[in-house]
Coordinates of all heavy atoms in Angstrom, one line a residue:
M26 N 224.9 120.9 110.2 CA 224.1 119.9 110.8 C 223.4 120.4 112.1 O 222.3 120.1 112.3 CB 225.1 118.7 111.2 CG 225.6 118.0 110.0 SD 224.4 117.5 108.7 CE 223.4 116.4 109.6
D27 N 224.2 121.3 112.8 CA 223.6 122.0 114.0 C 222.3 122.7 113.7 O 221.3 122.6 114.4 CB 224.6 122.8 114.8 CG 225.7 122.0 115.4 OD1 225.6 120.8 115.6 OD2 226.8 122.5 115.5
E28 N 222.5 123.5 112.6 CA 221.3 124.2 112.2 C 220.2 123.5 111.8 O 219.0 123.8 112.2 CB 221.7 125.2 111.0 CG 220.7 126.3 110.6 CD 220.4 127.2 111.8 OE1 221.2 127.6 112.6 OE2 219.1 127.5 111.9
L29 N 220.4 122.4 111.1 CA 219.3 121.5 110.6 C 218.7 120.8 111.8 O 217.4 120.4 111.7 CB 219.8 120.4 109.6 CG 220.3 121.1 108.3 CD1 220.8 119.9 107.4 CD2 219.1 121.7 107.5
S30 N 219.4 120.6 112.8 CA 218.8 119.9 114.0 C 218.1 120.8 115.0 O 217.8 120.2 116.1 CB 219.9 119.0 114.7 OG 220.9 119.9 115.2
N31 N 218.1 122.0 114.8 CA 217.4 123.0 115.8 C 216.0 122.6 115.9 O 215.2 122.2 115.0 CB 217.5 124.4 115.2 CG 218.7 125.1 115.4 OD1 219.5 124.7 116.3 ND2 218.9 126.1 114.8
S32 N 215.6 122.6 117.2 CA 214.2 122.2 117.6 C 213.1 122.9 116.8 O 212.1 122.5 116.3 CB 213.9 122.1 119.0 OG 214.1 123.3 119.7
P33 N 213.3 124.4 116.7 CA 212.3 125.2 116.0 C 212.4 125.0 114.5 O 211.7 125.5 113.8 CB 212.6 126.5 116.4 CG 213.9 126.6 117.0 CD 214.2 125.2 117.4
G34 N 213.5 124.3 114.0 CA 213.6 124.2 112.6 C 214.8 125.0 112.1 O 215.2 126.0 112.8
P35 N 215.4 124.7 111.0 CA 216.5 125.5 110.5 C 216.2 126.9 110.0 O 215.0 127.1 109.5 CB 217.0 124.7 109.3 CG 215.8 123.8 108.9 CD 215.0 123.7 110.1
R36 N 217.1 127.8 110.3 CA 216.9 129.2 109.8 C 217.3 129.3 108.4 O 218.4 128.8 108.0 CB 217.6 130.2 110.7 CG 217.1 130.2 112.1 CD 218.1 131.1 112.9 NE 219.3 130.3 113.1 CZ 220.3 130.7 113.8 NH1 220.2 131.8 114.5 NH2 221.5 130.0 113.8
V37 N 216.4 129.7 107.5 CA 216.7 129.8 106.0 C 218.0 130.5 105.7 O 218.8 130.0 104.9 CB 215.5 130.4 105.3 CG1 215.8 130.6 103.8 CG2 214.3 129.6 105.5
E38 N 218.2 131.7 106.4 CA 219.4 132.4 106.0 C 220.7 131.7 106.4 O 221.6 131.9 105.7 CB 219.3 133.9 106.7 CG 219.3 133.9 108.2 CD 218.0 133.6 108.9 OE1 217.0 133.6 108.2 OE2 218.0 133.5 110.1
V39 N 220.7 131.0 107.5 CA 221.9 130.3 107.9 C 222.1 129.1 106.9 O 223.3 128.9 106.5 CB 221.8 129.8 109.4 CG1 222.9 128.8 109.7 CG2 221.6 131.0 110.3
V40 N 221.1 128.4 106.6 CA 221.2 127.3 105.6 C 221.7 127.9 104.3 O 222.6 127.3 103.6 CB 219.9 126.5 105.4 CG1 220.1 125.5 104.3 CG2 219.6 125.9 106.8
N41 N 221.2 129.0 103.8 CA 221.7 129.6 102.7 C 223.1 130.0 102.7 O 223.9 129.8 101.7 CB 220.8 130.9 102.3 CG 219.4 130.5 101.8 OD1 219.2 129.4 101.3 ND2 218.5 131.4 101.8
T42 N 223.5 130.6 103.8 CA 225.0 130.9 104.0 C 225.8 129.6 103.9 O 226.9 129.7 103.2 CB 225.2 131.6 105.3 OG1 224.4 132.7 105.4 CG2 226.6 131.9 105.5
H43 N 225.4 128.6 104.6 CA 226.2 127.3 104.4 C 226.2 126.8 103.0 O 227.2 126.3 102.5 CB 225.7 126.3 105.4 CG 226.0 126.6 106.8 ND1 227.2 126.8 107.4 CD2 225.1 126.7 107.9 CE1 227.1 127.1 108.6 NE2 225.9 127.0 109.0
C44 N 225.1 126.9 102.3 CA 225.1 126.4 100.9 C 226.0 127.2 100.0 O 226.7 126.7 99.2 CB 223.6 126.4 100.4 SG 222.6 125.2 101.2
R45 N 226.0 128.5 100.3 CA 226.9 129.4 99.5 C 228.3 129.0 99.8 O 229.2 129.0 98.8 CB 226.6 130.9 99.8 CG 225.6 131.5 99.0 CD 225.5 133.0 99.1 NE 225.3 133.5 100.4 CZ 224.1 133.6 100.9 NH1 223.0 133.3 100.2 NH2 223.9 134.1 102.2
E46 N 228.7 128.8 101.0 CA 230.1 128.4 101.4 C 230.5 127.1 100.7 O 231.6 126.9 100.2 CB 230.3 128.3 102.9 CG 230.1 129.6 103.6 CD 230.1 129.4 105.1 OE1 230.1 128.3 105.6 OE2 230.1 130.6 105.8
F47 N 229.5 126.1 100.7 CA 229.7 124.9 100.1 C 230.0 125.1 98.5 O 231.0 124.4 98.0 CB 228.6 123.9 100.4 CG 228.6 122.7 99.6 CD1 229.4 121.7 99.9 CD2 227.8 122.5 98.5 CE1 229.5 120.5 99.1 CE2 227.9 121.4 97.8 CZ 228.7 120.4 98.1
M48 N 229.1 125.8 97.9 CA 229.3 126.0 96.5 C 230.6 126.7 96.2 O 231.3 126.4 95.2 CB 228.1 126.8 95.9 CG 226.8 126.1 96.0 SD 226.9 124.4 95.2 CE 227.2 125.0 93.4
Q49 N 231.0 127.7 97.0 CA 232.3 128.3 96.9 C 233.4 127.3 97.0 O 234.4 127.4 96.2 CB 232.5 129.5 97.8 CG 233.7 130.3 97.5 CD 233.8 130.9 96.2 OE1 232.8 131.5 95.7 NE2 234.9 130.8 95.5
A50 N 233.3 126.4 97.9 CA 234.3 125.4 98.1 C 234.4 124.5 96.8 O 235.6 124.1 96.4 CB 234.1 124.5 99.4
I51 N 233.3 124.1 96.3 CA 233.3 123.3 95.0 C 233.9 124.1 93.9 O 234.7 123.5 93.1 CB 231.8 122.9 94.7 CG1 231.2 122.0 95.7 CG2 231.7 122.3 93.4 CD1 231.9 120.6 95.8
K52 N 233.5 125.4 93.8 CA 234.2 126.2 92.7 C 235.7 126.3 92.9 O 236.5 126.2 91.9 CB 233.6 127.5 92.7 CG 232.2 127.6 92.2 CD 231.6 129.1 92.2 CE 230.1 129.0 91.7 NZ 229.5 130.4 91.8
D53 N 236.2 126.4 94.1 CA 237.6 126.5 94.4 C 238.2 125.2 94.0 O 239.4 125.2 93.4 CB 237.9 126.8 95.8 CG 237.4 128.2 96.3 OD1 237.3 129.0 95.4 OD2 237.4 128.4 97.5
I54 N 237.6 124.1 94.3 CA 238.2 122.7 93.9 C 238.2 122.7 92.4 O 239.3 122.2 91.8 CB 237.4 121.6 94.5 CG1 237.6 121.7 96.0 CG2 237.7 120.3 93.9 CD1 236.7 120.7 96.8
Q55 N 237.2 123.1 91.7 CA 237.2 123.0 90.2 C 238.3 123.9 89.7 O 239.0 123.5 88.7 CB 235.9 123.5 89.7 CG 234.7 122.5 90.0 CD 233.4 123.1 89.4 OE1 233.1 124.3 89.4 NE2 232.5 122.2 89.0
V56 N 238.5 125.1 90.3 CA 239.6 126.0 89.7 C 240.9 125.3 89.9 O 241.8 125.3 89.0 CB 239.5 127.3 90.5 CG1 240.9 128.1 90.2 CG2 238.3 128.1 90.0
N57 N 241.1 124.7 91.1 CA 242.4 124.0 91.4 C 242.6 122.8 90.4 O 243.8 122.6 90.0 CB 242.4 123.5 92.8 CG 242.6 124.7 93.8 OD1 243.1 125.7 93.5 ND2 242.2 124.3 95.1
L58 N 241.6 122.1 90.2 CA 241.7 120.9 89.2 C 242.0 121.4 87.9 O 242.9 120.9 87.1 CB 240.4 120.2 89.2 CG 240.1 119.2 90.4 CD1 238.7 118.6 90.3 CD2 241.2 118.1 90.5
R59 N 241.3 122.5 87.4 CA 241.6 123.1 86.1 C 243.1 123.5 86.0 O 243.8 123.3 85.0 CB 240.7 124.3 85.8 CG 239.7 123.9 84.8 CD 238.9 125.2 84.4 NE 237.5 124.9 84.7 CZ 236.8 125.5 85.6 NH1 237.2 126.4 86.2 NH2 235.5 125.1 85.7
E60 N 243.6 124.2 87.0 CA 245.0 124.7 87.0 C 245.9 123.5 87.0 O 246.9 123.6 86.4 CB 245.2 125.5 88.3 CG 244.6 126.9 88.2 CD 244.6 127.8 89.5 OE1 245.3 127.2 90.5 OE2 244.1 128.8 89.6
E61 N 245.7 122.5 87.7 CA 246.5 121.3 87.7 C 246.5 120.6 86.4 O 247.7 120.2 85.9 CB 246.1 120.3 88.8 CG 246.4 120.7 90.2 CD 247.8 121.0 90.5 OE1 248.7 120.3 90.0 OE2 248.1 122.1 91.1
I62 N 245.4 120.6 85.8 CA 245.4 120.0 84.3 C 246.1 120.8 83.4 O 246.9 120.2 82.6 CB 243.9 119.8 84.0 CG1 243.2 118.6 84.8 CG2 243.8 119.4 82.5 CD1 241.7 118.6 84.6
K63 N 246.0 122.1 83.5 CA 246.7 123.0 82.6 C 248.2 122.9 82.8 O 249.0 122.9 82.0 CB 246.3 124.5 82.8 CG 245.0 124.8 82.2 CD 244.6 126.2 82.4 CE 243.2 126.6 81.9 NZ 242.8 128.0 82.2
S64 N 248.6 122.8 84.1 CA 250.1 122.7 84.4 C 250.7 121.6 84.0 O 251.8 121.5 83.7 CB 250.2 123.1 85.9 OG 249.9 121.9 86.6
A65 N 249.9 120.5 84.0 CA 250.4 119.2 83.5 C 250.7 119.2 82.0 O 251.6 118.4 81.6 CB 249.3 118.1 83.8
C66 N 250.1 120.2 81.3 CA 250.3 120.3 79.9 C 251.5 121.2 79.5 O 251.9 121.3 78.4 CB 249.0 120.7 79.1 SG 247.6 119.6 79.3
E67 N 251.8 122.1 80.4 CA 252.9 123.0 80.2 C 254.3 122.4 80.2 O 254.4 121.2 80.8 CB 252.9 124.1 81.2 CG 251.6 125.0 81.1 CD 251.5 125.9 82.3 OE1 252.4 126.0 83.2 OE2 250.5 126.7 82.4
Y68 N 255.2 123.0 79.6 CA 256.6 122.4 79.5 C 257.2 122.5 81.0 O 257.0 123.5 81.6 CB 257.5 123.2 78.6 CG 258.9 122.8 78.7 CD1 259.4 121.6 78.2 CD2 259.8 123.6 79.3 CE1 260.7 121.2 78.3 CE2 261.1 123.2 79.5 CZ 261.6 122.0 78.9 OH 262.9 121.7 79.1
R69 N 257.9 121.4 81.3 CA 258.6 121.5 82.7 C 260.0 120.9 82.4 O 260.2 120.0 81.6 CB 257.9 120.6 83.6 CG 256.6 121.1 84.0 CD 255.9 120.2 85.0 NE 255.7 118.9 84.4 CZ 254.8 118.0 84.8 NH1 254.2 118.3 85.9 NH2 254.6 116.9 84.2
P70 N 261.0 121.4 83.1 CA 262.4 120.9 82.9 C 262.5 119.3 83.2 O 263.2 118.6 82.4 CB 263.2 121.6 83.9 CG 262.3 122.7 84.5 CD 260.9 122.4 84.1
F71 N 261.7 118.9 84.1 CA 261.7 117.4 84.3 C 260.3 116.9 83.8 O 259.4 116.6 84.5 CB 261.8 117.2 85.8 CG 263.0 117.9 86.5 CD1 262.9 119.0 87.2 CD2 264.2 117.1 86.4 CE1 264.2 119.5 87.7 CE2 265.4 117.7 86.9 CZ 265.3 118.9 87.6
E72 N 260.3 116.7 82.6 CA 259.0 116.4 81.9 C 258.4 115.1 82.5 O 257.2 114.9 82.5 CB 259.3 116.1 80.4 CG 259.5 117.5 79.7 CD 259.7 117.3 78.2 OE1 259.1 116.4 77.6 OE2 260.5 118.0 77.6
K73 N 259.3 114.1 82.8 CA 258.7 112.8 83.3 C 258.3 112.9 84.8 O 257.8 111.9 85.3 CB 259.6 111.7 83.0 CG 259.9 111.6 81.4 CD 260.6 110.4 81.1 CE 260.8 110.4 79.6 NZ 261.0 109.1 79.0
C74 N 258.6 113.9 85.4 CA 258.3 114.0 86.8 C 256.9 114.6 87.0 O 256.7 115.8 86.7 CB 259.3 114.9 87.6 SG 259.0 115.1 89.3
D75 N 256.0 113.9 87.5 CA 254.6 114.3 87.7 C 254.2 114.3 89.3 O 253.0 114.3 89.6 CB 253.6 113.5 86.9 CG 253.6 112.0 87.4 OD1 254.5 111.6 88.1 OD2 252.6 111.2 87.1
Y76 N 255.2 114.2 90.1 CA 255.0 114.1 91.5 C 254.0 115.3 92.0 O 253.0 115.0 92.7 CB 256.3 114.1 92.3 CG 256.1 114.0 93.7 CD1 255.7 112.8 94.3 CD2 256.2 115.1 94.6 CE1 255.5 112.8 95.7 CE2 256.0 115.0 95.9 CZ 255.7 113.9 96.5 OH 255.5 113.8 97.8
I77 N 254.4 116.5 91.7 CA 253.7 117.6 92.3 C 252.2 117.6 91.8 O 251.3 117.7 92.5 CB 254.3 118.9 92.0 CG1 255.7 119.0 92.7 CG2 253.5 120.2 92.3 CD1 256.6 120.2 92.2
S78 N 252.0 117.4 90.5 CA 250.7 117.4 89.9 C 249.9 116.2 90.5 O 248.7 116.3 90.8 CB 250.8 117.2 88.4 OG 251.4 118.4 87.9
R79 N 250.6 115.0 90.6 CA 249.9 113.8 91.2 C 249.5 114.0 92.6 O 248.3 113.7 92.9 CB 250.8 112.6 91.1 CG 250.1 111.3 91.3 CD 251.0 110.2 90.9 NE 252.4 110.3 90.9 CZ 253.2 110.0 92.0 NH1 252.6 109.5 93.1 NH2 254.4 110.2 92.1
I80 N 250.3 114.6 93.4 CA 250.0 114.9 94.8 C 248.8 115.9 94.9 O 248.0 115.8 95.7 CB 251.2 115.3 95.6 CG1 252.2 114.2 95.7 CG2 250.9 115.8 97.0 CD1 251.7 112.9 96.3
S81 N 248.9 117.0 94.1 CA 247.9 118.0 94.1 C 246.6 117.4 93.7 O 245.6 117.7 94.3 CB 248.3 119.1 93.1 OG 249.4 119.8 93.6
N82 N 246.6 116.6 92.6 CA 245.3 115.9 92.3 C 244.8 115.0 93.4 O 243.6 115.0 93.7 CB 245.6 115.1 91.1 CG 245.7 116.1 89.9 OD1 245.3 117.1 89.8 ND2 246.3 115.5 88.8
E83 N 245.7 114.2 94.1 CA 245.3 113.5 95.2 C 244.6 114.3 96.3 O 243.6 113.9 96.9 CB 246.4 112.6 95.8 CG 246.8 111.5 94.8 CD 248.0 110.7 95.4 OE1 248.1 110.6 96.6 OE2 248.8 110.1 94.5
I84 N 245.3 115.5 96.5 CA 244.7 116.3 97.6 C 243.3 116.8 97.1 O 242.3 116.8 98.0 CB 245.6 117.5 97.9 CG1 246.9 117.0 98.5 CG2 245.0 118.6 98.6 CD1 248.0 118.0 98.7
C85 N 243.2 117.2 96.0 CA 241.8 117.7 95.4 C 240.8 116.5 95.6 O 239.6 116.8 95.9 CB 242.0 118.1 94.0 SG 242.8 119.8 93.9
C86 N 241.2 115.3 95.2 CA 240.3 114.1 95.4 C 239.9 114.0 96.8 O 238.7 113.6 97.1 CB 241.0 112.8 94.8 SG 241.1 112.8 93.0
K87 N 240.9 114.1 97.7 CA 240.5 114.0 99.1 C 239.5 115.0 99.6 O 238.6 114.8 100.3 CB 241.8 114.0 100.0 CG 242.7 112.8 99.8 CD 242.0 111.6 100.4 CE 243.0 110.4 100.2 NZ 242.3 109.1 100.6
K88 N 239.7 116.3 99.1 CA 238.8 117.3 99.4 C 237.4 116.9 98.8 O 236.4 117.2 99.5 CB 239.2 118.7 98.7 CG 240.5 119.2 99.4 CD 240.8 120.6 98.7 CE 242.0 121.2 99.3 NZ 242.5 122.4 98.7
L89 N 237.4 116.4 97.7 CA 236.1 116.1 97.0 C 235.4 114.9 97.9 O 234.1 115.0 98.2 CB 236.2 115.6 95.6 CG 236.3 116.7 94.6 CD1 236.6 116.1 93.3 CD2 235.0 117.6 94.6
E90 N 236.2 114.0 98.4 CA 235.6 112.9 99.2 C 235.1 113.5 100.5 O 234.0 113.1 101.0 CB 236.8 111.9 99.5 CG 237.2 111.0 98.4 CD 238.4 110.1 98.6 OE1 238.8 110.1 99.8 OE2 238.8 109.5 97.7
Y91 N 235.8 114.5 101.1 CA 235.4 115.1 102.3 C 234.1 115.9 102.0 O 233.1 115.8 102.9 CB 236.4 116.1 102.8 CG 235.9 116.8 104.0 CD1 235.9 116.3 105.2 CD2 235.6 118.2 103.9 CE1 235.6 117.0 106.3 CE2 235.1 118.9 105.0 CZ 235.1 118.2 106.3 OH 234.7 119.0 107.3
V92 N 234.0 116.6 100.9 CA 232.7 117.3 100.6 C 231.6 116.3 100.5 O 230.4 116.6 100.9 CB 232.9 118.2 99.4 CG1 231.6 118.6 98.8 CG2 233.8 119.3 99.6
I93 N 231.8 115.2 99.8 CA 230.7 114.2 99.5 C 230.3 113.6 100.9 O 229.1 113.4 101.1 CB 231.2 113.0 98.6 CG1 231.4 113.6 97.2 CG2 230.4 111.8 98.6 CD1 232.1 112.8 96.2
E94 N 231.3 113.4 101.8 CA 230.9 112.8 103.1 C 230.1 113.9 103.9 O 229.1 113.5 104.5 CB 232.3 112.7 103.9 CG 232.1 112.1 105.3 CD 233.3 111.9 106.0 OE1 234.4 111.6 105.4 OE2 233.4 112.1 107.2
Q95 N 230.4 115.1 103.8 CA 229.7 116.1 104.4 C 228.2 116.2 103.8 O 227.3 116.4 104.6 CB 230.3 117.5 104.3 CG 231.7 117.6 105.1 CD 231.5 117.3 106.6 OE1 230.5 117.9 107.2 NE2 232.3 116.5 107.1
L96 N 228.1 116.0 102.5 CA 226.7 116.0 101.9 C 226.0 114.8 102.4 O 224.8 115.0 102.6 CB 226.9 116.0 100.4 CG 227.2 117.3 99.7 CD1 227.4 117.2 98.3 CD2 226.1 118.3 99.9
D97 N 226.6 113.7 102.5 CA 225.9 112.5 102.9 C 225.4 112.7 104.4 O 224.3 112.4 104.8 CB 226.8 111.3 103.0 CG 227.1 110.8 101.5 OD1 226.3 111.1 100.7 OD2 228.0 110.0 101.3
N98 N 226.3 113.4 105.3 CA 225.9 113.7 106.7 C 224.7 114.6 106.7 O 223.8 114.5 107.5 CB 227.1 114.2 107.4 CG 228.1 113.2 107.7 OD1 227.8 112.0 107.7 ND2 229.4 113.7 107.9
M99 N 224.7 115.6 105.7 CA 223.6 116.6 105.6 C 222.3 115.9 105.3 O 221.3 116.1 105.8 CB 223.9 117.7 104.7 CG 225.0 118.6 105.2 SD 225.5 119.9 104.0 CE 224.0 121.0 103.9
K100 N 222.4 115.0 104.2 CA 221.3 114.2 103.8 C 220.7 113.5 104.9 O 219.4 113.3 105.2 CB 221.7 113.3 102.6 CG 221.7 114.0 101.3 CD 222.3 113.2 100.2 CE 221.8 112.0 99.7 NZ 222.5 111.5 98.6
Q101 N 221.6 112.7 105.7 CA 221.1 112.0 106.8 C 220.4 112.8 107.9 O 219.4 112.5 108.5 CB 222.2 111.2 107.6 CG 222.8 110.0 106.7 CD 224.0 109.4 107.3 OE1 224.5 109.8 108.3 NE2 224.5 108.4 106.6
G102 N 221.0 114.0 108.2 CA 220.5 114.9 109.1 C 219.1 115.4 108.6 O 218.2 115.5 109.5
I103 N 219.0 115.8 107.4 CA 217.7 116.2 106.8 C 216.7 115.1 106.9 O 215.5 115.3 107.4 CB 217.9 116.7 105.5 CG1 218.7 118.0 105.4 CG2 216.5 116.9 104.7 CD1 219.1 118.4 104.0
A104 N 217.1 113.9 106.6 CA 216.1 112.7 106.7 C 215.7 112.6 108.1 O 214.5 112.3 108.4 CB 216.8 111.5 106.1
Q105 N 216.6 112.6 109.1 CA 216.3 112.5 110.4 C 215.3 113.6 110.9 O 214.4 113.4 111.7 CB 217.4 112.4 111.3 CG 218.3 111.2 111.2 CD 219.6 111.2 111.9 OE1 219.9 112.2 112.5 NE2 220.3 110.1 111.8
Y106 N 215.6 114.8 110.4 CA 214.7 115.9 110.8 C 213.3 115.7 110.3 O 212.3 115.9 111.1 CB 215.3 117.2 110.2 CG 214.4 118.4 110.3 CD1 214.4 119.0 111.6 CD2 213.7 118.9 109.3 CE1 213.6 120.2 111.8 CE2 212.8 120.0 109.6 CZ 212.8 120.7 110.8 OH 212.0 121.8 111.0
Y107 N 213.1 115.2 109.1 CA 211.8 115.0 108.6 C 211.1 113.8 109.2 O 209.9 113.7 109.3 CB 211.8 114.9 107.0 CG 212.0 116.2 106.4 CD1 213.0 116.5 105.7 CD2 211.0 117.2 106.5 CE1 213.2 117.7 105.0 CE2 211.1 118.4 105.9 CZ 212.2 118.7 105.2 OH 212.4 119.9 104.6
I108 N 211.9 112.8 109.6 CA 211.4 111.6 110.2 C 210.8 112.0 111.6 O 209.9 111.5 112.1 CB 212.4 110.4 110.3 CG1 212.6 109.9 108.9 CG2 211.9 109.4 111.2 CD1 213.9 108.9 108.9
A109 N 211.5 112.9 112.3 CA 211.2 113.3 113.6 C 209.9 114.1 113.6 O 209.2 114.2 114.7 CB 212.3 114.1 114.3
D110 N 209.5 114.7 112.6 CA 208.3 115.5 112.5 C 207.1 114.6 112.5 O 206.7 113.7 112.3 CB 208.3 116.4 111.3 CG 209.2 117.7 111.5 OD1 209.5 117.9 112.7 OD2 209.5 118.4 110.5

């Protein structure tokens, strides 16, 4: 957001770096979700116990909510940047 609000305008390389970091975070979340889904299908001694998988899924959901919140903030910043021009 700081980069988007620069008075001379955002630097392309910095915005690209942030976008790459964001996409890597999304990929990491997808990998974690896939692993959790796979582990839910594997045999466990306590078959009816889903606590760890459920908590891990809730954490992944919270991460996604955070990412969505950050995207919304970025959209607002971009909108304000273009309105200011």
Side-chain angles (χ1 to χ4, degrees):
M26 294 308 295
D27 291 335
E28 187 61 35
L29 292 175
S30 64
N31 279 342
S32 58
R36 294 173 293 187
V37 174
E38 64 277 356
V39 175
V40 173
N41 286 340
T42 300
H43 288 306
C44 287
R45 275 193 296 277
E46 290 172 2
F47 170 75
M48 291 306 295
Q49 186 59 48
I51 293 295
K52 287 179 184 178
D53 292 343
I54 291 170
Q55 287 177 331
V56 167
N57 288 337
L58 284 173
R59 251 187 239 115
E60 289 173 1
E61 289 301 321
I62 291 169
K63 285 180 185 177
S64 71
C66 297
E67 295 173 358
Y68 171 77
R69 294 179 297 198
F71 303 101
E72 289 181 31
K73 297 188 183 213
C74 179
D75 66 345
Y76 178 78
I77 294 173
S78 296
R79 192 167 29 91
I80 293 302
S81 294
N82 287 337
E83 287 180 24
I84 290 170
C85 288
C86 286
K87 291 294 181 186
K88 287 179 181 179
L89 282 173
E90 288 173 7
Y91 176 75
V92 167
I93 290 170
E94 179 183 327
Q95 293 301 313
L96 280 175
D97 288 341
N98 290 339
M99 288 175 71
K100 282 168 59 176
Q101 289 175 358
I103 291 169
Q105 290 173 357
Y106 175 77
Y107 283 115
I108 289 172
D110 283 344

